[in-house]
Amino acid sequence: AAELMAGKPVVSLQNGIGNLDAVMWRVPDALPVCAATGQGAIAESVGKIRHTGFGDTRVAPFAAFAAPAAQQFGEVLSGAGFEVEMHDNAASVLWGKLVINAALNPASAIWHLNNGEIPRHPDAAPAARAAAEETTETANRLGIDTPFRDPWKAVCEVCEATSGNRSSMYEDVLHRRRTEIDAINGAVVSAARNIGLDVPMNKEFVRKIHALESEYRAS
């Protein structure tokens, strides 16, 4: 498969960070494209997906030589009726999505909430807000601009747009699967540690989700 994709666009439509290394390890000659979406969906059964909310999809090349491939992918999405924003900075796209996911995903999984319930929950809301602000500060300390000025407002807008949706992490916990916590909040903790920044809420989210995983793996 790697040989077939050599020299071809490979799109990482992802949560979290770190996928570029995995893509280039598998397909060293790929044209790597980054994408992050605010579209909401729930897998109701095998082969049955319910769309639960609209959101922008941001697309950027991971490297300048992949810019034409990113543009082509963005045009394909636009032609299919999706709202697409083209960017030239993949780090900004990824950390912008990471701010949302670091707040929304673990909060929904820990308190068993649909997205729209998070901003009004007495415990989940302040925890999610703290995680979003910590993640934004980490990005800024790394010299990365996120696509929005107010991280908590951005989280709330996504929660409203996908109000009936359960996050992918909540779905994983419900189905007793391994979550993406290490690639989301764990990635924030690692990046913050490298620059001497403390991110206590992200650490707490990692601890709590790992504890949930340990419970259902042991049972």
Side-chain angles (χ1 to χ4, degrees), residues 35-68:
T37 187
Q39 297 288 334
I42 293 176
E44 296 189 326
S45 61
V46 176
K48 185 177 181 181
I49 306 296
R50 176 163 56 91
H51 186 246
T52 56
F54 287 92
D56 291 339
T57 299
R58 298 182 174 94
V59 178
F62 271 116
F65 65 83

Side-chain angles (χ1 to χ4, degrees), residues 16-157:
I17 57 176
N19 281 21
L20 176 61
D21 291 340
V23 168
M24 300 311 291
W25 181 75
R26 294 279 186 180
V27 193
D29 297 326
L31 301 175
V33 177
C34 157
T37 187
Q39 297 288 334
I42 293 176
E44 296 189 326
S45 61
V46 176
K48 185 177 181 181
I49 306 296
R50 176 163 56 91
H51 186 246
T52 56
F54 287 92
D56 291 339
T57 299
R58 298 182 174 94
V59 178
F62 271 116
F65 65 83
Q71 185 64 39
Q72 183 181 26
F73 179 65
E75 290 170 359
V76 169
L77 290 181
S78 294
F82 292 97
E83 295 290 332
V84 178
E85 294 181 7
M86 297 303 302
H87 295 260
D88 58 9
N89 188 329
S92 177
V93 169
L94 290 180
W95 276 85
K97 183 70 186 297
L98 191 62
V99 168
I100 305 298
N101 288 139
L104 187 157
N105 284 28
S108 65
I110 292 165
W111 283 282
H112 293 187
L113 302 171
N114 289 348
N115 292 355
E117 298 173 300
I118 294 171
R120 297 184 295 275
H121 192 277
D123 298 315
R129 180 170 190 161
E133 291 173 349
E134 289 175 3
T135 304
T136 301
E137 183 177 3
T138 302
N140 292 341
R141 295 277 193 97
L142 291 168
I144 299 168
D145 291 327
T146 55
F148 32 74
R149 298 180 64 181
D150 184 336
W152 178 235
K153 180 181 178 182
V155 170
C156 291
E157 288 174 351

Side-chain angles (χ1 to χ4, degrees), residues 14-19 94-95 97-98 101-102 105 135 169 178-190 202 206 210 213:
Q14 67 180 90
N15 292 333
I17 57 176
N19 281 21
L94 290 180
W95 276 85
K97 183 70 186 297
L98 191 62
N101 288 139
N105 284 28
T135 304
M169 193 173 293
R178 181 181 177 184
T179 73
E180 300 172 299
I181 191 68
D182 292 327
I184 298 177
N185 301 82
V188 177
V189 172
S190 295
N202 277 277
V206 171
H210 279 169
E213 292 176 332

Side-chain angles (χ1 to χ4, degrees), residues 168-179 216:
S168 57
M169 193 173 293
Y170 185 9
E171 285 284 309
D172 286 338
V173 169
L174 284 175
H175 292 92
R176 303 165 71 86
R177 298 186 296 241
R178 181 181 177 184
T179 73
Y216 55 71

